[in-house]
Amino acid sequence: MRIVVARCQVDYAGRLTAHLPLALRVIMVKSDGSVLVHADGGSYKPLNWMSPPCTLREGVAEDGVVEWTVTAKKTDDTLRIRLEEVIHDSEHELGVDPGLQKDGVEKHLQELLAEHTSALEDGMSLVRREYMTAIGPVDLLCRDAAGGSVAVEIKRRGEIDGVEQLTRYLELMNRDPKLRPVRGIFAAQEIKPQARTLAKDRGIDCVVVDYDDLRGLDDPSLRLF
Amino acid sequence: MRIVVARCQVDYAGRLTAHLPLALRVIMVKSDGSVLVHADGGSYKPLNWMSPPCTLREGVAEDGVVEWTVTAKKTDDTLRIRLEEVIHDSEHELGVDPGLQKDGVEKHLQELLAEHTSALEDGMSLVRREYMTAIGPVDLLCRDAAGGSVAVEIKRRGEIDGVEQLTRYLELMNRDPKLRPVRGIFAAQEIKPQARTLAKDRGIDCVVVDYDDLRGLDDPSLRLF
DNA sequence: CAGTAAATTTCGCCG
DNA sequence: CGGCGAAGTTTACTG
Protein backbone atom coordinates (compact mmCIF):
# COMPACT_ATOMS: atom_id res chain seq x y z
CA MET A 1 0.00 0.00 0.00
CA ARG A 2 1.30 3.40 -1.03
CA ILE A 3 0.20 6.51 0.83
CA VAL A 4 0.65 9.93 -0.75
CA VAL A 5 -0.32 13.28 0.69
CA ALA A 6 -0.39 15.85 -2.10
CA ARG A 7 -1.90 19.01 -3.46
CA CYS A 8 -3.76 17.56 -6.40
CA GLN A 9 -6.46 17.87 -9.04
CA VAL A 10 -8.55 14.86 -9.98
CA ASP A 11 -10.73 14.12 -13.00
CA TYR A 12 -12.91 11.06 -13.42
CA ALA A 13 -14.64 9.94 -16.59
CA GLY A 14 -16.68 6.77 -16.69
CA ARG A 15 -20.18 6.11 -15.45
CA LEU A 16 -20.24 9.84 -14.77
CA THR A 17 -17.88 12.75 -15.25
CA ALA A 18 -16.50 14.42 -12.13
CA HIS A 19 -13.80 16.91 -11.18
CA LEU A 20 -11.92 17.77 -7.99
CA PRO A 21 -10.31 21.24 -7.87
CA LEU A 22 -6.74 21.70 -6.63
CA ALA A 23 -6.48 20.93 -2.89
CA LEU A 24 -4.50 18.92 -0.33
CA ARG A 25 -5.68 15.33 -0.11
CA VAL A 26 -4.59 11.84 0.89
CA ILE A 27 -4.22 9.26 -1.87
CA MET A 28 -4.12 5.54 -1.09
CA VAL A 29 -2.86 3.14 -3.72
CA LYS A 30 -3.65 -0.43 -2.75
CA SER A 31 -1.61 -3.40 -3.92
CA ASP A 32 -4.41 -4.51 -6.25
CA GLY A 33 -3.97 -1.19 -8.08
CA SER A 34 -7.12 0.43 -6.71
CA VAL A 35 -6.85 4.11 -5.80
CA LEU A 36 -8.73 6.16 -3.19
CA VAL A 37 -8.65 9.96 -2.92
CA HIS A 38 -9.66 11.05 0.58
CA ALA A 39 -10.39 14.46 2.07
CA ASP A 40 -10.04 15.23 5.78
CA GLY A 41 -13.71 14.74 6.52
CA GLY A 42 -16.87 13.15 5.27
CA SER A 43 -17.50 9.52 5.98
CA TYR A 44 -15.62 6.48 4.76
CA LYS A 45 -16.41 7.15 1.12
CA PRO A 46 -13.53 8.69 -0.81
CA LEU A 47 -14.06 11.87 -2.84
CA ASN A 48 -13.05 9.90 -5.89
CA TRP A 49 -11.63 6.44 -6.53
CA MET A 50 -10.97 3.61 -8.96
CA SER A 51 -12.06 0.10 -8.11
CA PRO A 52 -9.97 -2.95 -8.96
CA PRO A 53 -9.10 -4.41 -11.35
CA CYS A 54 -7.26 -1.40 -12.73
CA THR A 55 -3.79 -0.19 -13.63
CA LEU A 56 -1.90 2.94 -12.60
CA ARG A 57 0.42 4.61 -15.11
CA GLU A 58 2.70 7.33 -13.76
CA GLY A 59 3.50 10.08 -16.25
CA VAL A 60 4.24 13.76 -16.71
CA ALA A 61 1.74 16.25 -18.16
CA GLU A 62 2.65 18.73 -20.91
CA ASP A 63 3.31 21.42 -18.29
CA GLY A 64 5.71 19.16 -16.40
CA VAL A 65 3.36 18.25 -13.55
CA VAL A 66 3.39 14.61 -12.40
CA GLU A 67 0.18 12.96 -13.54
CA TRP A 68 -1.24 9.54 -12.65
CA THR A 69 -3.63 7.85 -15.03
CA VAL A 70 -5.64 5.01 -13.55
CA THR A 71 -7.65 2.96 -16.03
CA ALA A 72 -10.12 0.18 -15.31
CA LYS A 73 -9.25 -3.20 -16.84
CA LYS A 74 -12.66 -3.99 -18.36
CA THR A 75 -14.44 -0.68 -18.85
CA ASP A 76 -12.94 2.56 -20.19
CA ASP A 77 -13.29 4.34 -16.83
CA THR A 78 -10.37 6.70 -16.24
CA LEU A 79 -9.13 8.54 -13.17
CA ARG A 80 -6.54 11.25 -13.78
CA ILE A 81 -4.63 12.72 -10.83
CA ARG A 82 -2.36 15.75 -11.25
CA LEU A 83 0.11 15.87 -8.34
CA GLU A 84 1.13 19.53 -8.11
CA GLU A 85 2.97 19.18 -4.79
CA VAL A 86 3.80 15.99 -2.90
CA ILE A 87 3.91 16.42 0.91
CA HIS A 88 4.32 12.78 1.86
CA ASP A 89 4.94 9.53 0.01
CA SER A 90 5.46 6.16 1.68
CA GLU A 91 5.05 2.49 0.85
CA HIS A 92 4.04 -0.28 3.29
CA GLU A 93 3.82 -4.06 2.90
CA LEU A 94 0.63 -5.09 4.69
CA GLY A 95 0.06 -8.61 3.44
CA VAL A 96 -3.31 -10.31 3.06
CA ASP A 97 -5.92 -9.40 5.67
CA PRO A 98 -7.64 -12.20 7.62
CA GLY A 99 -10.92 -10.29 7.15
CA LEU A 100 -13.86 -9.18 9.23
CA GLN A 101 -15.85 -11.51 11.48
CA LYS A 102 -19.47 -10.38 11.74
CA ASP A 103 -22.30 -11.22 14.07
CA GLY A 104 -25.80 -9.98 14.52
CA VAL A 105 -27.17 -9.50 11.03
CA GLU A 106 -30.52 -10.52 9.60
CA LYS A 107 -29.49 -14.13 9.28
CA HIS A 108 -29.04 -14.43 13.04
CA LEU A 109 -32.36 -12.68 13.65
CA GLN A 110 -33.96 -15.25 11.33
CA GLU A 111 -32.37 -18.14 13.25
CA LEU A 112 -33.58 -16.73 16.55
CA LEU A 113 -37.13 -16.20 15.28
CA ALA A 114 -37.17 -19.69 13.77
CA GLU A 115 -36.34 -21.00 17.25
CA HIS A 116 -38.94 -18.80 18.95
CA THR A 117 -41.89 -18.43 16.58
CA SER A 118 -44.13 -17.74 19.57
CA ALA A 119 -42.46 -14.33 19.76
CA LEU A 120 -44.31 -13.56 16.51
CA GLU A 121 -47.72 -14.65 17.72
CA ASP A 122 -49.16 -16.98 20.36
CA GLY A 123 -49.51 -20.56 19.18
CA MET A 124 -47.33 -20.05 16.09
CA SER A 125 -45.23 -23.02 14.97
CA LEU A 126 -42.48 -23.32 12.36
CA VAL A 127 -43.10 -25.26 9.15
CA ARG A 128 -39.92 -24.38 7.26
CA ARG A 129 -37.12 -21.84 7.28
CA GLU A 130 -36.09 -20.44 3.85
CA TYR A 131 -39.21 -21.92 2.20
CA MET A 132 -38.46 -21.90 -1.52
CA THR A 133 -40.82 -20.37 -4.04
CA ALA A 134 -40.32 -19.73 -7.76
CA ILE A 135 -39.23 -16.17 -7.11
CA GLY A 136 -37.05 -16.81 -4.05
CA PRO A 137 -37.04 -18.06 -0.48
CA VAL A 138 -39.60 -16.93 2.10
CA ASP A 139 -37.78 -16.37 5.42
CA LEU A 140 -40.20 -18.41 7.51
CA LEU A 141 -43.27 -20.45 6.68
CA CYS A 142 -45.35 -20.96 9.83
CA ARG A 143 -48.68 -22.34 10.97
CA ASP A 144 -50.77 -20.28 13.35
CA ALA A 145 -52.89 -21.46 16.29
CA ALA A 146 -55.89 -21.89 13.96
CA GLY A 147 -53.83 -24.04 11.55
CA GLY A 148 -53.51 -21.36 8.85
CA SER A 149 -50.37 -20.80 6.78
CA VAL A 150 -48.30 -17.71 7.55
CA ALA A 151 -45.42 -16.35 5.48
CA VAL A 152 -42.95 -14.30 7.54
CA GLU A 153 -40.54 -11.78 6.07
CA ILE A 154 -37.79 -10.70 8.45
CA LYS A 155 -35.78 -7.47 8.19
CA ARG A 156 -33.51 -5.62 10.56
CA ARG A 157 -35.19 -2.39 9.53
CA GLY A 158 -38.65 -2.71 8.06
CA GLU A 159 -39.11 -0.45 5.04
CA ILE A 160 -41.36 -0.36 1.99
CA ASP A 161 -39.17 -2.68 -0.08
CA GLY A 162 -39.63 -5.48 2.45
CA VAL A 163 -43.42 -5.16 2.29
CA GLU A 164 -43.26 -5.26 -1.52
CA GLN A 165 -41.12 -8.37 -1.34
CA LEU A 166 -43.51 -10.15 1.04
CA THR A 167 -46.46 -9.07 -1.13
CA ARG A 168 -44.89 -10.77 -4.16
CA TYR A 169 -44.38 -13.97 -2.16
CA LEU A 170 -47.94 -13.93 -0.83
CA GLU A 171 -49.39 -13.33 -4.29
CA LEU A 172 -47.50 -16.36 -5.58
CA MET A 173 -48.16 -18.62 -2.60
CA ASN A 174 -51.88 -17.86 -2.66
CA ARG A 175 -52.04 -19.35 -6.16
CA ASP A 176 -50.95 -22.69 -4.68
CA PRO A 177 -54.07 -24.69 -3.68
CA LYS A 178 -52.02 -26.74 -1.18
CA LEU A 179 -51.00 -23.63 0.76
CA ARG A 180 -53.90 -21.23 0.24
CA PRO A 181 -54.87 -19.20 2.13
CA VAL A 182 -51.55 -17.71 3.26
CA ARG A 183 -51.38 -14.52 5.30
CA GLY A 184 -48.26 -12.45 5.92
CA ILE A 185 -46.31 -11.19 8.89
CA PHE A 186 -43.66 -8.52 8.49
CA ALA A 187 -41.17 -8.81 11.36
CA ALA A 188 -38.38 -6.34 12.04
CA GLN A 189 -36.42 -4.71 14.84
CA GLU A 190 -37.88 -1.42 13.70
CA ILE A 191 -40.72 -0.72 11.26
CA LYS A 192 -40.96 2.61 9.43
CA PRO A 193 -44.41 4.24 9.48
CA GLN A 194 -44.65 4.17 5.67
CA ALA A 195 -43.92 0.45 5.62
CA ARG A 196 -46.47 -0.13 8.38
CA THR A 197 -49.10 1.80 6.43
CA LEU A 198 -48.42 -0.12 3.22
CA ALA A 199 -48.48 -3.43 5.12
CA LYS A 200 -51.82 -2.58 6.73
CA ASP A 201 -53.21 -1.70 3.29
CA ARG A 202 -52.08 -5.12 2.03
CA GLY A 203 -53.51 -6.95 5.04
CA ILE A 204 -50.07 -7.83 6.34
CA ASP A 205 -49.45 -7.87 10.10
CA CYS A 206 -46.44 -6.08 11.54
CA VAL A 207 -44.41 -7.40 14.47
CA VAL A 208 -41.57 -5.48 16.06
CA VAL A 209 -39.03 -7.89 17.55
CA ASP A 210 -36.32 -7.09 20.06
CA TYR A 211 -33.01 -8.68 19.13
CA ASP A 212 -31.63 -8.64 22.67
CA ASP A 213 -34.83 -10.12 24.13
CA LEU A 214 -34.72 -12.96 21.58
CA ARG A 215 -31.06 -13.48 22.40
CA GLY A 216 -32.02 -13.65 26.06
CA LEU A 217 -34.47 -16.50 25.29
CA ASP A 218 -31.51 -18.25 23.73
CA ASP A 219 -28.51 -19.80 25.45
CA PRO A 220 -26.63 -16.70 26.66
CA SER A 221 -23.41 -17.73 24.92
CA LEU A 222 -20.51 -15.86 23.40
CA ARG A 223 -20.24 -12.09 23.44
CA LEU A 224 -17.14 -10.62 21.83
CA PHE A 225 -16.36 -8.06 24.51
CA MET B 1 -5.62 13.93 9.19
CA ARG B 2 -3.56 11.36 11.03
CA ILE B 3 -2.27 8.30 9.23
CA VAL B 4 -1.10 5.27 11.19
CA VAL B 5 0.22 2.00 9.83
CA ALA B 6 0.09 -0.61 12.55
CA ARG B 7 -0.31 -4.25 13.47
CA CYS B 8 -3.67 -4.05 15.17
CA GLN B 9 -6.79 -5.79 16.42
CA VAL B 10 -10.17 -4.13 16.05
CA ASP B 11 -13.52 -4.71 17.75
CA TYR B 12 -16.76 -2.97 16.86
CA ALA B 13 -19.96 -3.06 18.87
CA GLY B 14 -23.01 -1.12 17.76
CA ARG B 15 -25.52 -1.93 15.08
CA LEU B 16 -23.66 -5.22 14.86
CA THR B 17 -20.72 -6.85 16.61
CA ALA B 18 -17.57 -7.43 14.57
CA HIS B 19 -13.93 -8.37 15.11
CA LEU B 20 -10.72 -7.98 13.12
CA PRO B 21 -7.88 -10.36 14.05
CA LEU B 22 -4.33 -9.07 14.52
CA ALA B 23 -2.85 -7.89 11.21
CA LEU B 24 -1.07 -4.98 9.54
CA ARG B 25 -3.48 -2.26 8.45
CA VAL B 26 -3.71 1.44 7.67
CA ILE B 27 -5.72 3.60 10.04
CA MET B 28 -6.95 7.05 8.97
CA VAL B 29 -8.12 9.47 11.64
CA LYS B 30 -9.89 12.42 10.05
CA SER B 31 -10.10 15.83 11.67
CA ASP B 32 -13.79 15.35 12.44
CA GLY B 33 -12.77 12.38 14.62
CA SER B 34 -13.96 9.69 12.21
CA VAL B 35 -11.75 6.63 11.89
CA LEU B 36 -11.20 4.26 8.96
CA VAL B 37 -9.36 0.94 9.14
CA HIS B 38 -8.17 -0.13 5.68
CA ALA B 39 -6.60 -3.32 4.38
CA ASP B 40 -4.39 -3.45 1.30
CA GLY B 41 -7.17 -4.55 -1.01
CA GLY B 42 -10.88 -4.65 -1.49
CA SER B 43 -12.68 -1.60 -2.76
CA TYR B 44 -13.08 1.79 -1.14
CA LYS B 45 -14.98 0.46 1.86
CA PRO B 46 -12.86 0.13 5.00
CA LEU B 47 -12.77 -3.14 6.93
CA ASN B 48 -14.11 -1.27 9.92
CA TRP B 49 -14.82 2.36 10.74
CA MET B 50 -16.58 4.91 12.89
CA SER B 51 -18.60 7.67 11.27
CA PRO B 52 -18.64 11.23 12.61
CA PRO B 53 -19.62 12.67 14.97
CA CYS B 54 -17.46 10.65 17.34
CA THR B 55 -14.57 11.01 19.76
CA LEU B 56 -11.27 9.16 19.97
CA ARG B 57 -9.78 8.42 23.39
CA GLU B 58 -6.21 7.14 23.46
CA GLY B 59 -5.44 4.77 26.31
CA VAL B 60 -3.46 1.75 27.41
CA ALA B 61 -4.95 -1.71 27.91
CA GLU B 62 -4.32 -3.82 31.02
CA ASP B 63 -1.50 -5.67 29.25
CA GLY B 64 0.22 -2.38 28.36
CA VAL B 65 -0.81 -2.30 24.69
CA VAL B 66 -1.89 1.09 23.29
CA GLU B 67 -5.63 1.03 22.77
CA TRP B 68 -7.85 3.55 21.02
CA THR B 69 -11.52 3.76 21.94
CA VAL B 70 -13.73 5.57 19.45
CA THR B 71 -17.27 6.26 20.60
CA ALA B 72 -20.13 7.74 18.61
CA LYS B 73 -21.57 10.97 19.99
CA LYS B 74 -25.26 10.03 19.81
CA THR B 75 -25.43 6.23 19.86
CA ASP B 76 -23.42 3.84 22.03
CA ASP B 77 -21.46 2.47 19.05
CA THR B 78 -17.89 1.71 20.04
CA LEU B 79 -14.78 0.93 18.01
CA ARG B 80 -11.79 -0.41 19.93
CA ILE B 81 -8.38 -0.58 18.26
CA ARG B 82 -5.43 -2.35 19.90
CA LEU B 83 -2.18 -1.06 18.37
CA GLU B 84 0.30 -3.85 19.00
CA GLU B 85 3.04 -2.40 16.77
CA VAL B 86 3.12 1.00 15.09
CA ILE B 87 5.01 1.06 11.77
CA HIS B 88 4.16 4.60 10.72
CA ASP B 89 2.44 7.57 12.32
CA SER B 90 2.09 10.99 10.68
CA GLU B 91 -0.20 13.99 10.87
CA HIS B 92 -1.14 16.30 7.96
CA GLU B 93 -3.14 19.52 7.83
CA LEU B 94 -5.32 19.24 4.72
CA GLY B 95 -7.85 22.02 5.26
CA VAL B 96 -11.41 22.00 3.99
CA ASP B 97 -11.94 20.35 0.61
CA PRO B 98 -13.68 22.29 -2.18
CA GLY B 99 -15.63 19.12 -2.94
CA LEU B 100 -16.60 17.05 -5.95
CA GLN B 101 -18.27 18.46 -9.05
CA LYS B 102 -20.53 15.86 -10.64
CA ASP B 103 -22.20 15.56 -13.99
CA GLY B 104 -24.24 12.92 -15.73
CA VAL B 105 -26.49 11.45 -13.05
CA GLU B 106 -30.17 10.61 -13.19
CA LYS B 107 -31.17 14.19 -12.52
CA HIS B 108 -29.49 15.32 -15.71
CA LEU B 109 -31.08 12.47 -17.65
CA GLN B 110 -34.44 13.63 -16.30
CA GLU B 111 -33.75 17.21 -17.42
CA LEU B 112 -32.76 16.06 -20.89
CA LEU B 113 -35.84 13.84 -21.26
CA ALA B 114 -38.07 16.65 -19.99
CA GLU B 115 -36.65 18.79 -22.80
CA HIS B 116 -37.02 16.06 -25.40
CA THR B 117 -40.14 14.05 -24.54
CA SER B 118 -40.42 13.03 -28.20
CA ALA B 119 -37.45 10.74 -27.55
CA LEU B 120 -39.85 8.68 -25.42
CA GLU B 121 -42.58 8.44 -28.02
CA ASP B 122 -43.77 10.37 -31.07
CA GLY B 123 -46.15 13.19 -30.24
CA MET B 124 -45.41 13.11 -26.50
CA SER B 125 -45.54 16.42 -24.63
CA LEU B 126 -44.52 17.36 -21.10
CA VAL B 127 -47.16 18.25 -18.50
CA ARG B 128 -44.97 18.44 -15.39
CA ARG B 129 -41.58 17.36 -14.13
CA GLU B 130 -41.50 15.92 -10.57
CA TYR B 131 -45.30 15.63 -10.49
CA MET B 132 -46.15 15.27 -6.79
CA THR B 133 -48.35 12.43 -5.54
CA ALA B 134 -49.15 11.43 -1.96
CA ILE B 135 -46.40 8.80 -2.00
CA GLY B 136 -43.75 10.87 -3.80
CA PRO B 137 -42.88 12.63 -7.04
CA VAL B 138 -43.36 11.02 -10.46
CA ASP B 139 -40.34 11.89 -12.63
CA LEU B 140 -42.37 13.06 -15.63
CA LEU B 141 -46.07 13.46 -16.26
CA CYS B 142 -46.71 13.61 -20.00
CA ARG B 143 -49.53 13.62 -22.52
CA ASP B 144 -49.32 11.35 -25.55
CA ALA B 145 -50.41 12.04 -29.14
CA ALA B 146 -53.91 10.77 -28.34
CA GLY B 147 -54.19 13.09 -25.31
CA GLY B 148 -53.79 10.36 -22.70
CA SER B 149 -51.85 10.79 -19.45
CA VAL B 150 -48.49 9.05 -19.18
CA ALA B 151 -46.38 8.68 -16.03
CA VAL B 152 -42.66 8.28 -16.76
CA GLU B 153 -40.17 6.78 -14.33
CA ILE B 154 -36.53 7.41 -15.24
CA LYS B 155 -33.58 5.34 -14.05
CA ARG B 156 -29.99 5.10 -15.14
CA ARG B 157 -30.24 1.34 -14.82
CA GLY B 158 -33.73 -0.11 -15.09
CA GLU B 159 -34.27 -2.85 -12.51
CA ILE B 160 -37.24 -4.47 -10.78
CA ASP B 161 -37.39 -1.86 -8.01
CA GLY B 162 -38.01 0.90 -10.53
CA VAL B 163 -40.94 -0.99 -12.06
CA GLU B 164 -42.40 -1.53 -8.57
CA GLN B 165 -42.04 2.17 -7.86
CA LEU B 166 -43.81 3.17 -11.10
CA THR B 167 -46.51 0.57 -10.42
CA ARG B 168 -47.26 2.19 -7.04
CA TYR B 169 -47.50 5.62 -8.66
CA LEU B 170 -49.78 4.33 -11.42
CA GLU B 171 -52.04 2.54 -8.94
CA LEU B 172 -52.45 5.78 -7.01
CA MET B 173 -52.83 8.07 -10.02
CA ASN B 174 -55.46 5.82 -11.57
CA ARG B 175 -57.65 6.43 -8.52
CA ASP B 176 -57.72 10.12 -9.45
CA PRO B 177 -60.72 10.78 -11.75
CA LYS B 178 -59.05 13.90 -13.14
CA LEU B 179 -56.03 11.94 -14.36
CA ARG B 180 -57.46 8.50 -15.13
CA PRO B 181 -56.54 6.63 -17.19
CA VAL B 182 -52.77 6.91 -16.74
CA ARG B 183 -50.35 4.52 -18.44
CA GLY B 184 -46.69 4.09 -17.58
CA ILE B 185 -43.38 4.36 -19.39
CA PHE B 186 -40.21 3.00 -17.81
CA ALA B 187 -37.22 4.84 -19.30
CA ALA B 188 -33.59 3.96 -18.64
CA GLN B 189 -30.19 3.86 -20.28
CA GLU B 190 -30.28 0.10 -19.79
CA ILE B 191 -33.18 -2.17 -18.82
CA LYS B 192 -32.58 -5.57 -17.22
CA PRO B 193 -34.59 -8.47 -18.73
CA GLN B 194 -36.35 -9.17 -15.41
CA ALA B 195 -37.45 -5.56 -15.14
CA ARG B 196 -38.65 -5.64 -18.74
CA THR B 197 -40.64 -8.80 -18.09
CA LEU B 198 -42.26 -7.39 -14.95
CA ALA B 199 -43.05 -4.13 -16.76
CA LYS B 200 -44.68 -6.01 -19.64
CA ASP B 201 -46.74 -8.00 -17.13
CA ARG B 202 -47.92 -4.73 -15.59
CA GLY B 203 -48.71 -3.14 -18.96
CA ILE B 204 -45.83 -0.68 -18.66
CA ASP B 205 -43.87 0.31 -21.78
CA CYS B 206 -40.09 0.24 -21.70
CA VAL B 207 -37.91 2.80 -23.48
CA VAL B 208 -34.13 2.59 -23.63
CA VAL B 209 -32.65 6.08 -23.93
CA ASP B 210 -29.13 6.99 -24.99
CA TYR B 211 -27.59 9.64 -22.75
CA ASP B 212 -25.09 10.83 -25.35
CA ASP B 213 -27.74 11.04 -28.09
CA LEU B 214 -29.97 13.15 -25.82
CA ARG B 215 -27.00 15.31 -25.00
CA GLY B 216 -26.39 15.72 -28.73
CA LEU B 217 -29.94 17.06 -29.15
CA ASP B 218 -29.02 19.60 -26.50
CA ASP B 219 -26.63 22.53 -26.81
CA PRO B 220 -23.27 20.78 -27.07
CA SER B 221 -21.80 22.79 -24.20
CA LEU B 222 -19.21 22.05 -21.54
CA ARG B 223 -17.24 18.82 -21.37
CA LEU B 224 -14.72 18.56 -18.57
CA PHE B 225 -11.89 16.94 -20.49
C1' DC C 1 -21.51 -15.84 -13.82
C1' DA C 2 -25.76 -13.55 -13.13
C1' DG C 3 -29.34 -12.03 -10.34
C1' DT C 4 -31.02 -10.43 -5.93
C1' DA C 5 -31.09 -8.47 -1.46
C1' DA C 6 -28.45 -6.32 2.41
C1' DA C 7 -25.44 -2.63 4.17
C1' DT C 8 -22.48 -0.34 10.74
C1' DT C 9 -24.51 1.48 3.75
C1' DT C 10 -23.40 7.01 2.56
C1' DC C 11 -25.13 11.03 0.15
C1' DG C 12 -28.22 14.47 -1.35
C1' DC C 13 -32.64 16.65 -1.75
C1' DC C 14 -36.77 18.36 0.02
C1' DG C 15 -40.40 18.94 3.45
C1' DC D 1 -33.94 17.23 11.49
C1' DG D 2 -36.43 13.28 9.36
C1' DG D 3 -37.99 10.85 5.36
C1' DC D 4 -36.98 9.04 0.92
C1' DG D 5 -34.54 7.72 -3.15
C1' DA D 6 -29.98 7.43 -5.67
C1' DA D 7 -25.25 5.68 -5.73
C1' DG D 8 -19.41 5.47 -10.33
C1' DT D 9 -23.03 2.37 -4.70
C1' DT D 10 -20.19 -2.23 -2.57
C1' DT D 11 -20.77 -6.69 -0.65
C1' DA D 12 -22.60 -11.16 0.13
C1' DC D 13 -25.25 -15.03 -1.20
C1' DT D 14 -27.46 -18.23 -4.15
C1' DG D 15 -28.83 -20.71 -8.23
Side-chain angles (χ1 to χ4, degrees), chain A:
Chain A
M1 160 113 57
R2 183 173 174 189
I3 299 168
V4 176
V5 179
R7 190 171 303 282
C8 61
Q9 265 190 71
V10 184
D11 284 283
Y12 167 75
R15 274 167 280 191
L16 61 72
T17 307
H19 173 74
L20 281 171
L22 188 62
L24 259 183
R25 300 186 181 95
V26 173
I27 306 167
M28 288 177 59
V29 184
K30 296 194 176 186
S31 58
D32 56 10
S34 58
V35 178
L36 321 184
V37 181
H38 268 280
D40 199 359
S43 204
Y44 67 65
K45 199 176 179 182
L47 291 165
N48 223 326
W49 72 93
M50 183 64 77
S51 303
C54 60
T55 46
L56 192 157
R57 188 171 52 78
E58 208 161 340
V60 177
E62 287 178 19
D63 57 2
V65 170
V66 172
E67 192 174 75
W68 292 359
T69 307
V70 189
T71 45
K73 283 282 199 331
K74 297 277 178 179
T75 62
D76 58 352
D77 291 27
T78 303
L79 189 69
R80 193 177 298 173
I81 306 177
R82 278 172 57 91
L83 301 155
E84 308 257 352
E85 185 192 0
V86 176
I87 307 295
H88 171 97
D89 190 342
S90 63
E91 178 103 28
H92 308 272
E93 277 301 322
L94 300 187
V96 179
D97 201 278
L100 189 68
Q101 296 161 9
K102 282 188 186 180
D103 173 49
V105 277
E106 184 191 306
K107 190 177 165 184
H108 197 190
L109 195 61
Q110 191 193 107
E111 288 165 9
L112 289 170
L113 274 176
E115 288 295 313
H116 308 283
T117 45
S118 59
L120 290 167
E121 195 179 281
D122 266 356
M124 191 80 87
S125 64
L126 180 70
V127 175
R128 263 197 70 83
R129 198 151 78 80
E130 300 280 356
Y131 177 84
M132 274 311 289
T133 73
I135 55 170
V138 177
D139 288 337
L140 302 181
L141 180 61
C142 296
R143 202 164 294 284
D144 64 20
S149 294
V150 184
V152 184
E153 178 64 36
I154 302 165
K155 297 283 175 199
R156 198 171 55 76
R157 284 179 189 163
E159 299 179 28
I160 279 182
D161 281 4
V163 180
E164 294 287 14
Q165 197 180 334
L166 180 52
T167 303
R168 286 198 296 271
Y169 288 138
L170 287 170
E171 195 185 329
L172 196 76
M173 295 170 85
N174 275 309
R175 289 183 198 165
D176 185 342
K178 289 191 292 296
L179 286 171
R180 199 171 45 192
V182 185
R183 65 188 176 93
I185 289 184
F186 190 54
Q189 284 184 268
E190 179 200 348
I191 298 180
K192 296 279 171 73
Q194 299 88 337
R196 192 179 288 275
T197 304
L198 184 64
K200 193 187 170 76
D201 187 64
R202 303 268 171 88
I204 292 169
D205 292 319
C206 288
V207 175
V208 174
V209 292
D210 189 289
Y211 183 67
D212 292 324
D213 285 358
L214 278 175
R215 217 173 189 178
L217 296 175
D218 237 60
D219 178 29
S221 51
L222 66 154
R223 300 215 65 172
L224 290 183
F225 70 90

